[in-house]
Amino acid sequence: GQYYWALFGGSGVDPASGQLAGADVASQTRQILHNFEVMLAACGSDLRHVVHVDVFGSATGRAALVLHGGPGSGQTPMLRGGFDARAWRVVCIDQRGCGASSPRGGVDANTTHDLIADTEHVRTMLGIDEWLVVGGSWGASLALAYACAHPGAVQGLLLRSTFGASRNDVAA
């Protein structure tokens, strides 16, 4: 399906152009470099999801996407803690219905396909050609699905505590 997105609120974003504004990276180590929210609406639906995104580290660093597990959790400092903020640009997305995204716990229009599309919108908005995709548990499953859908955008995968999302995994 098609999706519309628009930026609103957040810091580090020029609302007129939708581009990320520059920041004094030298003063940003483990602090948020930019944060913003992306409003996504499925065509033909009045349901709106607002996906929260934080970008940490160096604006010129190697890009990494960190996908949290679930269900319903969100990004945490621990998930990005292994990255050297001077060398990496770490993108953390609170998936639909999770963390700081809204509606909290929303499951309508919240499929794996929707999450993959959201992730690709964020990558494109940030002007990232390729990134390392990191995920654990459900985030590992989403990372694999994203890599299959967009192999040219993935430099590599770093997966932990994988959840295969098979019938046996769900039944366990």
Side-chain angles (χ1 to χ4, degrees):
Q2 293 180 330
Y3 293 85
Y4 298 107
W5 58 269
L7 291 174
F8 60 95
S11 63
V13 178
D14 176 355
S17 69
Q19 299 296 311
L20 294 177
D24 179 7
V25 177
S27 67
Q28 313 261 347
T29 53
R30 290 279 182 217
Q31 298 173 354
I32 295 173
L33 182 59
H34 303 284
N35 73 341
F36 57 94
E37 294 177 327
V38 181
M39 184 175 64
L40 301 151
C43 287
S45 169
D46 60 355
L47 177 69
R48 301 232 186 272
H49 281 276
V50 178
V51 177
H52 183 84
V53 180
D54 286 329
V55 182
F56 300 87
S58 170
T60 59
R62 188 170 169 197
L65 166 67
V66 177
L67 297 170
H68 64 76
S73 66
Q75 58 171 300
T76 65
M78 183 181 76
L79 295 177
R80 64 180 183 273
F83 290 94
D84 180 344
R86 296 166 295 182
W88 288 90
R89 179 182 183 193
V90 183
V91 179
C92 299
I93 302 172
D94 280 339
Q95 300 155 25
R96 291 182 182 212
C98 299
S101 294
S102 63
R104 180 96 165 117
V107 295
D108 292 331
N110 190 351
T111 66
T112 302
H113 175 77
D114 294 324
L115 300 177
I116 291 168
D118 295 351
T119 302
E120 186 61 6
H121 280 302
V122 169
R123 184 189 67 80
T124 302
M125 276 177 36
L126 292 172
I128 295 172
D129 294 325
E130 295 179 314
W131 49 12
L132 172 67
V133 181
V134 181
S137 188
W138 161 249
S141 298
L142 182 56
L144 287 168
Y146 176 81
C148 288
H150 300 282
V154 178
Q155 281 183 333
L157 292 167
L158 178 58
L159 310 176
R160 61 171 177 72
S161 304
T162 57
F163 171 74
S166 70
R167 287 190 177 134
N168 289 338
D169 291 325
V170 173

